[in-house]
Amino acid sequence: MTTVRGDTLWGLAHTHLGDGRLFTELLELNKDVVPEAGFLAEGMTLQLPATAQDVVQGAYTVQAGDTLWDIADRELGDPVRFSEITTADGAPAGDLITVGQQLIIPSASAQTPAPAAEAAPQPAAVPAPAVAPEQTPRRRHPTLHRSPSQKLPQHRPGNSTPPNLRCPQI
């Protein structure tokens, strides 16, 4: 890889290794080319570690602390859409992501089509009864539904419960 104006070891490590903190690997591998840790000249040819991956254009590089749920929430606006995120080769991202891994995130406006719901069998129509069943009249409570002309039984001293509120003996 050849450096261009403005390159830094941190930036190159972030771009090519997925984490800027890995700049020490670049420095160690290129100690004969890079005279000082903080200085990169334009046109320097640097070696990348064998594990370096090419950055996929438009891919998201996993950072420390990232989760698929958080990435989907931040990038897609809905954490439930985490299953739409794939690896750079198009496979589902799965349950485990690692720092530096590249993920392909669909555009936030692209919605995964909802799976077509299978038509549930409809219950057979039940014909209405020809004659409505007779309703049993409800009994009215004797003390609550009296006409104004009816008098309530008098409570006698010594009885703890008025006669109209006592439970019948069985």
Side-chain angles (χ1 to χ4, degrees):
M1 165 194 82
T2 304
T3 59
V4 295
R5 185 174 189 186
D7 275 345
T8 64
L9 286 172
W10 184 279
L12 292 172
H14 177 76
T15 301
H16 296 283
L17 304 177
D19 187 352
R21 294 173 291 188
L22 298 176
F23 78 93
T24 54
E25 291 184 27
L26 286 177
L27 184 58
E28 181 64 30
L29 190 59
N30 295 286
K31 60 186 171 192
D32 57 324
V33 179
V34 180
E36 297 178 41
F39 177 75
L40 288 181
E42 188 175 350
M44 295 174 98
T45 302
L46 301 178
Q47 294 180 16
L48 295 174
T51 60
Q53 50 184 301
D54 292 327
V55 173
V56 176
Q57 189 66 21
Y60 176 84
T61 302
V62 176
Q63 305 297 311
D66 275 344
T67 65
L68 284 172
W69 185 267
D70 292 338
I71 294 169
D73 188 29
R74 186 175 54 247
E75 301 293 325
L76 299 173
D78 183 0
V80 177
R81 293 181 62 194
F82 73 93
S83 61
E84 297 174 36
I85 299 173
T86 62
T87 61
D89 63 0
D95 296 330
L96 180 66
I97 57 174
T98 57
V99 172
Q101 182 179 7
Q102 294 181 10
L103 302 173
I104 305 300
I105 300 173
S107 68
S109 62
Q111 293 287 336
T112 300
E118 291 184 25
Q122 297 297 322
V126 178
V131 177
E134 287 192 31
Q135 296 290 328
T136 306
R138 294 176 55 186
R139 288 189 65 198
R140 294 178 159 224
H141 190 279
T143 59
L144 297 179
H145 301 286
R146 296 186 188 273
S147 70
S149 64
Q150 290 177 314
K151 292 189 178 191
L152 294 174
Q154 295 296 317
H155 179 67
R156 294 188 191 125
N159 283 340
S160 61
T161 307
N164 60 329
L165 297 179
R166 288 190 193 135
C167 293
Q169 296 290 323
I170 300 180

